[in-house]
Amino acid sequence: VLDVHTFTVLVIVCTAVFFTFSFVHLSPKLKTTAPGLTDKTKRTAEHLYDSALLLSSRSDVQTCTSWNAPIIWEGMFNPGHYDQTHRSEGSSVALTVFAVGRLAFLNSSERHFMLSLPVSYYVFTDRPEKVPNVNLAPNRHLNVIKVERHARWQDISMTRMKTISDVIEADIRHHSTHVFCFDVDQVFTGRFGPEALGDTVALLHAHYYHLPRKLFTYDRNPKSEAFMRTGDFYYHAAVFGGSWRSVKALTEACYKSIMEDKKNNVEALWHDESHLNKYFWLHKPSRILSPEYCWDTSIGYRFDIRVHRLLWAPKDYYKLRTS
């Protein structure tokens, strides 16, 4: 027969064991590591391509977002895996670029952009006769589309959203699985391959990825549709892409916001880039490219930038903002 004291102790011990068992085995598992520090991070069905993606191979940089989207850096992937997988799945890419007044892009893309996949170029220009002859590889095609020349670069920048949406609807969706949109003042200098493909693809801006969030130049005007108090990252509009459906949805949404601003006599700080950042804040990208995929050499050496895949031309931003 147990005395009262012994019985009380047993009750306490049994209760503790029960709750410990319940917490460990029945409650949701607590994350003990930050996103991106384990190769077993759960990702959506879209990232079945990423079965061999090594998130933990780059401990010097963030390789995964809080919503489990991978951030692609050199050393995280096997190029041959992505080439073979996307080729076997029948992936194909449309590349759009607005070459109004300036043409120095296509030759480098033939040396480095999606070399393992069929590619269709869409060059929008006010001077089709100035588009250079390019020796295209098999399964690569060039489409030159005449567009109106605007007096201000800002108007070119903002109207491109509607132009891209229209050409996706009219043509691209019938033969390309993915679309990538580029600024023209850039040159490919290294592999830009299928590891960059995803449903919605954003690019970390080279000038902001090391800065605290409070210094990101989101549009702070509450009257603009692009207004943001905060965000996840600062994205560069020089490169964005994804499946044709997602890029069509993105460009339509940005164009609608831009037109709403125009109706209210408002212009976002960085024009389509401000609207792009707002869109990606509300609709998280499923894949993010590191600044390797669009680097500015004026920044100087960075230990975490191991390769340059695309280099952008220097710009006088004060002049651009005031012209």
mmCIF file of all heavy atoms in Angstrom, residues 258-303:
data_model
loop_
_atom_site.group_PDB
_atom_site.id
_atom_site.type_symbol
_atom_site.label_atom_id
_atom_site.label_comp_id
_atom_site.label_asym_id
_atom_site.label_seq_id
_atom_site.Cartn_x
_atom_site.Cartn_y
_atom_site.Cartn_z
ATOM 1 N N ILE A 258 0.419 51.055 -63.013
ATOM 2 C CA ILE A 258 1.031 52.215 -63.651
ATOM 3 C C ILE A 258 -0.036 53.138 -64.234
ATOM 4 O O ILE A 258 0.021 54.369 -64.087
ATOM 5 C CB ILE A 258 2.017 51.773 -64.749
ATOM 6 C CG1 ILE A 258 3.257 51.114 -64.115
ATOM 7 C CG2 ILE A 258 2.444 52.947 -65.631
ATOM 8 C CD1 ILE A 258 4.132 50.362 -65.099
ATOM 9 N N MET A 259 -1.037 52.552 -64.890
ATOM 10 C CA MET A 259 -2.111 53.357 -65.478
ATOM 11 C C MET A 259 -2.961 54.033 -64.401
ATOM 12 O O MET A 259 -3.432 55.155 -64.585
ATOM 13 C CB MET A 259 -2.985 52.468 -66.364
ATOM 14 C CG MET A 259 -2.314 52.008 -67.655
ATOM 15 S SD MET A 259 -1.845 53.399 -68.758
ATOM 16 C CE MET A 259 -0.089 53.547 -68.386
ATOM 17 N N GLU A 260 -3.127 53.358 -63.278
ATOM 18 C CA GLU A 260 -3.864 53.969 -62.170
ATOM 19 C C GLU A 260 -3.100 55.184 -61.632
ATOM 20 O O GLU A 260 -3.697 56.223 -61.328
ATOM 21 C CB GLU A 260 -4.072 52.948 -61.059
ATOM 22 C CG GLU A 260 -5.017 53.390 -59.956
ATOM 23 C CD GLU A 260 -6.448 53.568 -60.419
ATOM 24 O OE1 GLU A 260 -6.838 52.929 -61.433
ATOM 25 O OE2 GLU A 260 -7.178 54.351 -59.779
ATOM 26 N N ASP A 261 -1.783 55.057 -61.535
ATOM 27 C CA ASP A 261 -0.957 56.200 -61.123
ATOM 28 C C ASP A 261 -1.068 57.358 -62.120
ATOM 29 O O ASP A 261 -1.172 58.529 -61.723
ATOM 30 C CB ASP A 261 0.505 55.776 -60.987
ATOM 31 C CG ASP A 261 0.813 55.177 -59.628
ATOM 32 O OD1 ASP A 261 -0.118 55.043 -58.809
ATOM 33 O OD2 ASP A 261 1.984 54.836 -59.381
ATOM 34 N N LYS A 262 -1.020 57.029 -63.405
ATOM 35 C CA LYS A 262 -1.120 58.079 -64.416
ATOM 36 C C LYS A 262 -2.440 58.835 -64.295
ATOM 37 O O LYS A 262 -2.493 60.065 -64.420
ATOM 38 C CB LYS A 262 -0.985 57.466 -65.822
ATOM 39 C CG LYS A 262 0.454 57.261 -66.277
ATOM 40 C CD LYS A 262 0.489 56.811 -67.726
ATOM 41 C CE LYS A 262 1.906 56.780 -68.259
ATOM 42 N NZ LYS A 262 2.507 58.117 -68.372
ATOM 43 N N LYS A 263 -3.512 58.090 -64.037
ATOM 44 C CA LYS A 263 -4.825 58.705 -63.892
ATOM 45 C C LYS A 263 -4.836 59.669 -62.713
ATOM 46 O O LYS A 263 -5.524 60.693 -62.734
ATOM 47 C CB LYS A 263 -5.886 57.616 -63.701
ATOM 48 C CG LYS A 263 -7.308 58.130 -63.683
ATOM 49 C CD LYS A 263 -8.305 56.992 -63.840
ATOM 50 C CE LYS A 263 -8.197 55.963 -62.727
ATOM 51 N NZ LYS A 263 -9.218 54.901 -62.851
ATOM 52 N N ASN A 264 -4.039 59.362 -61.692
ATOM 53 C CA ASN A 264 -3.958 60.213 -60.498
ATOM 54 C C ASN A 264 -2.777 61.182 -60.538
ATOM 55 O O ASN A 264 -2.424 61.774 -59.515
ATOM 56 C CB ASN A 264 -3.868 59.329 -59.247
ATOM 57 C CG ASN A 264 -5.115 58.498 -59.055
ATOM 58 O OD1 ASN A 264 -6.230 58.961 -59.300
ATOM 59 N ND2 ASN A 264 -4.934 57.246 -58.623
ATOM 60 N N ASN A 265 -2.147 61.282 -61.731
ATOM 61 C CA ASN A 265 -1.023 62.205 -61.922
ATOM 62 C C ASN A 265 0.131 61.893 -60.966
ATOM 63 O O ASN A 265 0.749 62.786 -60.380
ATOM 64 C CB ASN A 265 -1.470 63.658 -61.743
ATOM 65 C CG ASN A 265 -0.488 64.638 -62.382
ATOM 66 O OD1 ASN A 265 0.193 64.305 -63.356
ATOM 67 N ND2 ASN A 265 -0.399 65.831 -61.819
ATOM 68 N N VAL A 266 0.423 60.600 -60.816
ATOM 69 C CA VAL A 266 1.499 60.132 -59.939
ATOM 70 C C VAL A 266 2.467 59.289 -60.771
ATOM 71 O O VAL A 266 2.068 58.582 -61.692
ATOM 72 C CB VAL A 266 0.938 59.275 -58.777
ATOM 73 C CG1 VAL A 266 2.065 58.696 -57.928
ATOM 74 C CG2 VAL A 266 -0.004 60.090 -57.918
ATOM 75 N N GLU A 267 3.753 59.373 -60.440
ATOM 76 C CA GLU A 267 4.758 58.540 -61.089
ATOM 77 C C GLU A 267 5.638 57.924 -60.008
ATOM 78 O O GLU A 267 6.218 58.638 -59.195
ATOM 79 C CB GLU A 267 5.606 59.369 -62.054
ATOM 80 C CG GLU A 267 6.398 58.537 -63.038
ATOM 81 C CD GLU A 267 6.977 59.374 -64.177
ATOM 82 O OE1 GLU A 267 8.086 59.918 -63.993
ATOM 83 O OE2 GLU A 267 6.307 59.497 -65.214
ATOM 84 N N ALA A 268 5.711 56.609 -59.989
ATOM 85 C CA ALA A 268 6.471 55.916 -58.950
ATOM 86 C C ALA A 268 7.959 56.256 -59.046
ATOM 87 O O ALA A 268 8.482 56.564 -60.134
ATOM 88 C CB ALA A 268 6.277 54.412 -59.072
ATOM 89 N N LEU A 269 8.648 56.188 -57.919
ATOM 90 C CA LEU A 269 10.046 56.602 -57.832
ATOM 91 C C LEU A 269 10.911 55.964 -58.911
ATOM 92 O O LEU A 269 11.645 56.634 -59.629
ATOM 93 C CB LEU A 269 10.601 56.265 -56.440
ATOM 94 C CG LEU A 269 12.065 56.581 -56.209
ATOM 95 C CD1 LEU A 269 12.332 58.082 -56.315
ATOM 96 C CD2 LEU A 269 12.516 56.051 -54.848
ATOM 97 N N TRP A 270 10.868 54.634 -59.005
ATOM 98 C CA TRP A 270 11.667 53.915 -59.997
ATOM 99 C C TRP A 270 10.782 53.236 -61.032
ATOM 100 O O TRP A 270 11.103 52.188 -61.567
ATOM 101 C CB TRP A 270 12.610 52.904 -59.320
ATOM 102 C CG TRP A 270 13.721 53.578 -58.581
ATOM 103 C CD1 TRP A 270 13.932 53.593 -57.236
ATOM 104 C CD2 TRP A 270 14.763 54.383 -59.151
ATOM 105 N NE1 TRP A 270 15.044 54.339 -56.930
ATOM 106 C CE2 TRP A 270 15.576 54.843 -58.083
ATOM 107 C CE3 TRP A 270 15.088 54.770 -60.448
ATOM 108 C CZ2 TRP A 270 16.694 55.659 -58.292
ATOM 109 C CZ3 TRP A 270 16.193 55.587 -60.653
ATOM 110 C CH2 TRP A 270 16.984 56.009 -59.583
ATOM 111 N N HIS A 271 9.636 53.857 -61.299
ATOM 112 C CA HIS A 271 8.779 53.494 -62.415
ATOM 113 C C HIS A 271 8.382 52.017 -62.369
ATOM 114 O O HIS A 271 7.876 51.567 -61.358
ATOM 115 C CB HIS A 271 9.445 53.906 -63.728
ATOM 116 C CG HIS A 271 9.925 55.328 -63.665
ATOM 117 N ND1 HIS A 271 11.222 55.660 -63.364
ATOM 118 C CD2 HIS A 271 9.255 56.498 -63.756
ATOM 119 C CE1 HIS A 271 11.351 56.981 -63.317
ATOM 120 N NE2 HIS A 271 10.168 57.515 -63.541
ATOM 121 N N ASP A 272 8.633 51.253 -63.441
ATOM 122 C CA ASP A 272 8.165 49.861 -63.428
ATOM 123 C C ASP A 272 8.868 49.026 -62.359
ATOM 124 O O ASP A 272 8.300 48.066 -61.841
ATOM 125 C CB ASP A 272 8.324 49.216 -64.809
ATOM 126 C CG ASP A 272 9.757 49.158 -65.301
ATOM 127 O OD1 ASP A 272 10.601 49.941 -64.808
ATOM 128 O OD2 ASP A 272 10.037 48.337 -66.199
ATOM 129 N N GLU A 273 10.092 49.399 -61.968
ATOM 130 C CA GLU A 273 10.784 48.647 -60.919
ATOM 131 C C GLU A 273 10.081 48.800 -59.572
ATOM 132 O O GLU A 273 10.013 47.841 -58.787
ATOM 133 C CB GLU A 273 12.234 49.107 -60.797
ATOM 134 C CG GLU A 273 13.040 48.317 -59.781
ATOM 135 C CD GLU A 273 14.526 48.587 -59.893
ATOM 136 O OE1 GLU A 273 15.175 47.956 -60.760
ATOM 137 O OE2 GLU A 273 15.036 49.435 -59.139
ATOM 138 N N SER A 274 9.560 49.983 -59.288
ATOM 139 C CA SER A 274 8.806 50.185 -58.050
ATOM 140 C C SER A 274 7.548 49.319 -58.043
ATOM 141 O O SER A 274 7.212 48.699 -57.026
ATOM 142 C CB SER A 274 8.429 51.660 -57.898
ATOM 143 O OG SER A 274 9.585 52.474 -57.775
ATOM 144 N N HIS A 275 6.868 49.267 -59.171
ATOM 145 C CA HIS A 275 5.653 48.448 -59.263
ATOM 146 C C HIS A 275 5.990 46.957 -59.205
ATOM 147 O O HIS A 275 5.234 46.158 -58.631
ATOM 148 C CB HIS A 275 4.896 48.785 -60.546
ATOM 149 C CG HIS A 275 4.279 50.147 -60.534
ATOM 150 N ND1 HIS A 275 3.075 50.419 -59.918
ATOM 151 C CD2 HIS A 275 4.717 51.330 -61.038
ATOM 152 C CE1 HIS A 275 2.781 51.702 -60.062
ATOM 153 N NE2 HIS A 275 3.756 52.280 -60.730
ATOM 154 N N LEU A 276 7.136 46.585 -59.787
ATOM 155 C CA LEU A 276 7.580 45.192 -59.728
ATOM 156 C C LEU A 276 7.842 44.772 -58.288
ATOM 157 O O LEU A 276 7.455 43.677 -57.859
ATOM 158 C CB LEU A 276 8.844 45.013 -60.570
ATOM 159 C CG LEU A 276 9.400 43.592 -60.667
ATOM 160 C CD1 LEU A 276 8.614 42.793 -61.695
ATOM 161 C CD2 LEU A 276 10.878 43.615 -61.059
ATOM 162 N N ASN A 277 8.511 45.628 -57.518
ATOM 163 C CA ASN A 277 8.771 45.310 -56.114
ATOM 164 C C ASN A 277 7.479 45.172 -55.326
ATOM 165 O O ASN A 277 7.365 44.285 -54.471
ATOM 166 C CB ASN A 277 9.675 46.382 -55.493
ATOM 167 C CG ASN A 277 11.145 46.066 -55.658
ATOM 168 O OD1 ASN A 277 11.737 45.352 -54.853
ATOM 169 N ND2 ASN A 277 11.736 46.574 -56.729
ATOM 170 N N LYS A 278 6.514 46.022 -55.610
ATOM 171 C CA LYS A 278 5.226 45.912 -54.920
ATOM 172 C C LYS A 278 4.544 44.581 -55.271
ATOM 173 O O LYS A 278 3.994 43.896 -54.401
ATOM 174 C CB LYS A 278 4.319 47.085 -55.311
ATOM 175 C CG LYS A 278 2.929 47.067 -54.685
ATOM 176 C CD LYS A 278 2.995 47.231 -53.164
ATOM 177 C CE LYS A 278 1.607 47.403 -52.551
ATOM 178 N NZ LYS A 278 1.021 48.727 -52.841
ATOM 179 N N TYR A 279 4.603 44.194 -56.537
ATOM 180 C CA TYR A 279 3.983 42.939 -56.964
ATOM 181 C C TYR A 279 4.619 41.753 -56.253
ATOM 182 O O TYR A 279 3.923 40.862 -55.759
ATOM 183 C CB TYR A 279 4.107 42.771 -58.484
ATOM 184 C CG TYR A 279 3.390 41.542 -59.001
ATOM 185 C CD1 TYR A 279 2.047 41.587 -59.341
ATOM 186 C CD2 TYR A 279 4.070 40.330 -59.135
ATOM 187 C CE1 TYR A 279 1.384 40.456 -59.809
ATOM 188 C CE2 TYR A 279 3.413 39.196 -59.597
ATOM 189 C CZ TYR A 279 2.069 39.261 -59.932
ATOM 190 O OH TYR A 279 1.406 38.127 -60.374
ATOM 191 N N PHE A 280 5.972 41.743 -56.182
ATOM 192 C CA PHE A 280 6.655 40.614 -55.548
ATOM 193 C C PHE A 280 6.500 40.630 -54.021
ATOM 194 O O PHE A 280 6.723 39.607 -53.371
ATOM 195 C CB PHE A 280 8.137 40.603 -55.932
ATOM 196 C CG PHE A 280 8.412 40.027 -57.295
ATOM 197 C CD1 PHE A 280 9.368 40.601 -58.126
ATOM 198 C CD2 PHE A 280 7.743 38.909 -57.744
ATOM 199 C CE1 PHE A 280 9.644 40.068 -59.378
ATOM 200 C CE2 PHE A 280 8.002 38.357 -59.005
ATOM 201 C CZ PHE A 280 8.951 38.948 -59.814
ATOM 202 N N TRP A 281 6.152 41.758 -53.450
ATOM 203 C CA TRP A 281 5.838 41.798 -52.024
ATOM 204 C C TRP A 281 4.492 41.113 -51.764
ATOM 205 O O TRP A 281 4.331 40.375 -50.797
ATOM 206 C CB TRP A 281 5.819 43.248 -51.550
ATOM 207 C CG TRP A 281 5.255 43.493 -50.182
ATOM 208 C CD1 TRP A 281 4.176 44.271 -49.866
ATOM 209 C CD2 TRP A 281 5.731 42.988 -48.922
ATOM 210 N NE1 TRP A 281 3.939 44.276 -48.520
ATOM 211 C CE2 TRP A 281 4.891 43.488 -47.905
ATOM 212 C CE3 TRP A 281 6.790 42.149 -48.565
ATOM 213 C CZ2 TRP A 281 5.073 43.197 -46.557
ATOM 214 C CZ3 TRP A 281 6.970 41.848 -47.224
ATOM 215 C CH2 TRP A 281 6.123 42.369 -46.241
ATOM 216 N N LEU A 282 3.544 41.347 -52.672
ATOM 217 C CA LEU A 282 2.207 40.760 -52.521
ATOM 218 C C LEU A 282 2.133 39.330 -53.049
ATOM 219 O O LEU A 282 1.337 38.521 -52.562
ATOM 220 C CB LEU A 282 1.180 41.630 -53.257
ATOM 221 C CG LEU A 282 1.023 43.068 -52.756
ATOM 222 C CD1 LEU A 282 0.056 43.841 -53.647
ATOM 223 C CD2 LEU A 282 0.550 43.087 -51.303
ATOM 224 N N HIS A 283 2.945 39.025 -54.051
ATOM 225 C CA HIS A 283 2.968 37.685 -54.667
ATOM 226 C C HIS A 283 4.417 37.199 -54.634
ATOM 227 O O HIS A 283 5.198 37.519 -55.527
ATOM 228 C CB HIS A 283 2.455 37.737 -56.103
ATOM 229 C CG HIS A 283 1.131 38.410 -56.268
ATOM 230 N ND1 HIS A 283 1.000 39.782 -56.403
ATOM 231 C CD2 HIS A 283 -0.132 37.916 -56.290
ATOM 232 C CE1 HIS A 283 -0.279 40.091 -56.524
ATOM 233 N NE2 HIS A 283 -0.991 38.981 -56.449
ATOM 234 N N LYS A 284 4.756 36.428 -53.638
ATOM 235 C CA LYS A 284 6.166 36.056 -53.411
ATOM 236 C C LYS A 284 6.741 35.276 -54.600
ATOM 237 O O LYS A 284 6.107 34.324 -55.088
ATOM 238 C CB LYS A 284 6.297 35.189 -52.157
ATOM 239 C CG LYS A 284 5.667 35.769 -50.894
ATOM 240 C CD LYS A 284 6.260 37.090 -50.480
ATOM 241 C CE LYS A 284 5.735 37.529 -49.123
ATOM 242 N NZ LYS A 284 6.078 38.927 -48.805
ATOM 243 N N PRO A 285 7.908 35.660 -55.071
ATOM 244 C CA PRO A 285 8.534 34.895 -56.156
ATOM 245 C C PRO A 285 8.895 33.490 -55.681
ATOM 246 O O PRO A 285 9.245 33.282 -54.521
ATOM 247 C CB PRO A 285 9.780 35.706 -56.492
ATOM 248 C CG PRO A 285 10.051 36.532 -55.279
ATOM 249 C CD PRO A 285 8.722 36.806 -54.649
ATOM 250 N N SER A 286 8.799 32.548 -56.591
ATOM 251 C CA SER A 286 9.107 31.167 -56.239
ATOM 252 C C SER A 286 10.589 30.853 -56.394
ATOM 253 O O SER A 286 11.053 29.793 -55.976
ATOM 254 C CB SER A 286 8.289 30.207 -57.109
ATOM 255 O OG SER A 286 8.659 30.352 -58.474
ATOM 256 N N ARG A 287 11.319 31.783 -56.984
ATOM 257 C CA ARG A 287 12.754 31.586 -57.213
ATOM 258 C C ARG A 287 13.403 32.961 -57.270
ATOM 259 O O ARG A 287 12.868 33.890 -57.884
ATOM 260 C CB ARG A 287 12.975 30.851 -58.528
ATOM 261 C CG ARG A 287 14.327 30.206 -58.702
ATOM 262 C CD ARG A 287 14.333 29.364 -59.975
ATOM 263 N NE ARG A 287 15.365 28.363 -59.985
ATOM 264 C CZ ARG A 287 15.325 27.193 -59.343
ATOM 265 N NH1 ARG A 287 14.265 26.896 -58.624
ATOM 266 N NH2 ARG A 287 16.316 26.324 -59.416
ATOM 267 N N ILE A 288 14.564 33.083 -56.633
ATOM 268 C CA ILE A 288 15.275 34.351 -56.627
ATOM 269 C C ILE A 288 16.693 34.125 -57.130
ATOM 270 O O ILE A 288 17.359 33.162 -56.730
ATOM 271 C CB ILE A 288 15.282 34.972 -55.214
ATOM 272 C CG1 ILE A 288 13.853 35.302 -54.777
ATOM 273 C CG2 ILE A 288 16.144 36.237 -55.183
ATOM 274 C CD1 ILE A 288 13.751 35.873 -53.374
ATOM 275 N N LEU A 289 17.133 34.983 -58.014
ATOM 276 C CA LEU A 289 18.485 34.905 -58.549
ATOM 277 C C LEU A 289 19.394 35.828 -57.755
ATOM 278 O O LEU A 289 19.028 36.969 -57.443
ATOM 279 C CB LEU A 289 18.500 35.300 -60.024
ATOM 280 C CG LEU A 289 17.563 34.509 -60.941
ATOM 281 C CD1 LEU A 289 17.712 34.991 -62.378
ATOM 282 C CD2 LEU A 289 17.824 33.009 -60.846
ATOM 283 N N SER A 290 20.572 35.345 -57.444
ATOM 284 C CA SER A 290 21.561 36.164 -56.742
ATOM 285 C C SER A 290 22.080 37.250 -57.672
ATOM 286 O O SER A 290 21.858 37.205 -58.896
ATOM 287 C CB SER A 290 22.722 35.278 -56.285
ATOM 288 O OG SER A 290 23.495 34.879 -57.415
ATOM 289 N N PRO A 291 22.786 38.255 -57.140
ATOM 290 C CA PRO A 291 23.326 39.318 -57.998
ATOM 291 C C PRO A 291 24.348 38.850 -59.029
ATOM 292 O O PRO A 291 24.733 39.638 -59.896
ATOM 293 C CB PRO A 291 23.967 40.284 -56.992
ATOM 294 C CG PRO A 291 23.232 40.047 -55.718
ATOM 295 C CD PRO A 291 22.952 38.572 -55.707
ATOM 296 N N GLU A 292 24.806 37.600 -58.939
ATOM 297 C CA GLU A 292 25.641 37.042 -60.015
ATOM 298 C C GLU A 292 24.942 37.177 -61.362
ATOM 299 O O GLU A 292 25.600 37.320 -62.400
ATOM 300 C CB GLU A 292 25.893 35.553 -59.782
ATOM 301 C CG GLU A 292 26.591 35.173 -58.515
ATOM 302 C CD GLU A 292 26.469 33.676 -58.235
ATOM 303 O OE1 GLU A 292 25.780 32.964 -59.007
ATOM 304 O OE2 GLU A 292 27.052 33.230 -57.248
ATOM 305 N N TYR A 293 23.618 37.108 -61.345
ATOM 306 C CA TYR A 293 22.833 37.094 -62.575
ATOM 307 C C TYR A 293 22.585 38.487 -63.144
ATOM 308 O O TYR A 293 21.919 38.627 -64.159
ATOM 309 C CB TYR A 293 21.511 36.352 -62.342
ATOM 310 C CG TYR A 293 21.705 34.864 -62.227
ATOM 311 C CD1 TYR A 293 22.064 34.279 -61.018
ATOM 312 C CD2 TYR A 293 21.559 34.025 -63.332
ATOM 313 C CE1 TYR A 293 22.259 32.904 -60.904
ATOM 314 C CE2 TYR A 293 21.751 32.657 -63.238
ATOM 315 C CZ TYR A 293 22.100 32.099 -62.022
ATOM 316 O OH TYR A 293 22.303 30.742 -61.927
ATOM 317 N N CYS A 294 23.130 39.506 -62.504
ATOM 318 C CA CYS A 294 23.124 40.869 -63.047
ATOM 319 C C CYS A 294 24.006 41.722 -62.143
ATOM 320 O O CYS A 294 23.526 42.345 -61.202
ATOM 321 C CB CYS A 294 21.709 41.428 -63.118
ATOM 322 S SG CYS A 294 21.628 43.026 -63.939
ATOM 323 N N TRP A 295 25.280 41.755 -62.439
ATOM 324 C CA TRP A 295 26.253 42.402 -61.557
ATOM 325 C C TRP A 295 26.716 43.733 -62.127
ATOM 326 O O TRP A 295 26.782 43.926 -63.346
ATOM 327 C CB TRP A 295 27.450 41.482 -61.342
ATOM 328 C CG TRP A 295 28.437 42.016 -60.352
ATOM 329 C CD1 TRP A 295 29.725 42.417 -60.604
ATOM 330 C CD2 TRP A 295 28.222 42.236 -58.963
ATOM 331 N NE1 TRP A 295 30.323 42.862 -59.452
ATOM 332 C CE2 TRP A 295 29.417 42.771 -58.418
ATOM 333 C CE3 TRP A 295 27.134 42.030 -58.106
ATOM 334 C CZ2 TRP A 295 29.553 43.106 -57.080
ATOM 335 C CZ3 TRP A 295 27.255 42.366 -56.772
ATOM 336 C CH2 TRP A 295 28.456 42.891 -56.263
ATOM 337 N N ASP A 296 27.056 44.661 -61.230
ATOM 338 C CA ASP A 296 27.605 45.953 -61.603
ATOM 339 C C ASP A 296 29.054 46.006 -61.127
ATOM 340 O O ASP A 296 29.320 46.007 -59.929
ATOM 341 C CB ASP A 296 26.781 47.067 -60.954
ATOM 342 C CG ASP A 296 27.282 48.458 -61.303
ATOM 343 O OD1 ASP A 296 28.235 48.566 -62.108
ATOM 344 O OD2 ASP A 296 26.742 49.438 -60.765
ATOM 345 N N THR A 297 29.993 46.044 -62.050
ATOM 346 C CA THR A 297 31.409 45.994 -61.686
ATOM 347 C C THR A 297 31.862 47.249 -60.939
ATOM 348 O O THR A 297 32.905 47.231 -60.283
ATOM 349 C CB THR A 297 32.291 45.821 -62.936
ATOM 350 O OG1 THR A 297 31.996 46.860 -63.879
ATOM 351 C CG2 THR A 297 32.034 44.469 -63.595
ATOM 352 N N SER A 298 31.088 48.334 -61.004
ATOM 353 C CA SER A 298 31.472 49.539 -60.273
ATOM 354 C C SER A 298 31.389 49.337 -58.759
ATOM 355 O O SER A 298 31.960 50.115 -57.996
ATOM 356 C CB SER A 298 30.581 50.715 -60.677
ATOM 357 O OG SER A 298 29.257 50.556 -60.180
ATOM 358 N N ILE A 299 30.692 48.295 -58.327
ATOM 359 C CA ILE A 299 30.595 47.993 -56.894
ATOM 360 C C ILE A 299 31.939 47.560 -56.345
ATOM 361 O O ILE A 299 32.257 47.763 -55.178
ATOM 362 C CB ILE A 299 29.530 46.909 -56.641
ATOM 363 C CG1 ILE A 299 28.146 47.423 -57.036
ATOM 364 C CG2 ILE A 299 29.530 46.443 -55.189
ATOM 365 C CD1 ILE A 299 27.057 46.371 -56.999
ATOM 366 N N GLY A 300 32.749 46.953 -57.202
ATOM 367 C CA GLY A 300 34.037 46.443 -56.763
ATOM 368 C C GLY A 300 33.955 44.985 -56.343
ATOM 369 O O GLY A 300 32.948 44.310 -56.552
ATOM 370 N N TYR A 301 35.016 44.507 -55.730
ATOM 371 C CA TYR A 301 35.101 43.094 -55.355
ATOM 372 C C TYR A 301 34.166 42.769 -54.204
ATOM 373 O O TYR A 301 34.070 43.519 -53.228
ATOM 374 C CB TYR A 301 36.533 42.741 -54.954
ATOM 375 C CG TYR A 301 36.673 41.330 -54.415
ATOM 376 C CD1 TYR A 301 36.654 40.239 -55.264
ATOM 377 C CD2 TYR A 301 36.791 41.108 -53.038
ATOM 378 C CE1 TYR A 301 36.768 38.948 -54.769
ATOM 379 C CE2 TYR A 301 36.906 39.822 -52.528
ATOM 380 C CZ TYR A 301 36.890 38.743 -53.404
ATOM 381 O OH TYR A 301 36.982 37.469 -52.909
ATOM 382 N N ARG A 302 33.483 41.649 -54.315
ATOM 383 C CA ARG A 302 32.669 41.096 -53.231
ATOM 384 C C ARG A 302 33.020 39.614 -53.099
ATOM 385 O O ARG A 302 32.988 38.878 -54.096
ATOM 386 C CB ARG A 302 31.176 41.246 -53.528
ATOM 387 C CG ARG A 302 30.646 42.680 -53.396
ATOM 388 C CD ARG A 302 30.355 43.036 -51.955
ATOM 389 N NE ARG A 302 29.959 44.432 -51.793
ATOM 390 C CZ ARG A 302 28.716 44.886 -51.963
ATOM 391 N NH1 ARG A 302 27.759 44.062 -52.339
ATOM 392 N NH2 ARG A 302 28.437 46.157 -51.758
ATOM 393 N N PHE A 303 33.318 39.196 -51.900
ATOM 394 C CA PHE A 303 33.760 37.814 -51.690
ATOM 395 C C PHE A 303 32.693 36.805 -52.059
ATOM 396 O O PHE A 303 32.992 35.657 -52.398
ATOM 397 C CB PHE A 303 34.179 37.611 -50.222
ATOM 398 C CG PHE A 303 33.036 37.642 -49.247
ATOM 399 C CD1 PHE A 303 32.378 36.478 -48.879
ATOM 400 C CD2 PHE A 303 32.587 38.850 -48.725
ATOM 401 C CE1 PHE A 303 31.316 36.502 -47.990
ATOM 402 C CE2 PHE A 303 31.518 38.887 -47.836
ATOM 403 C CZ PHE A 303 30.877 37.709 -47.468
#
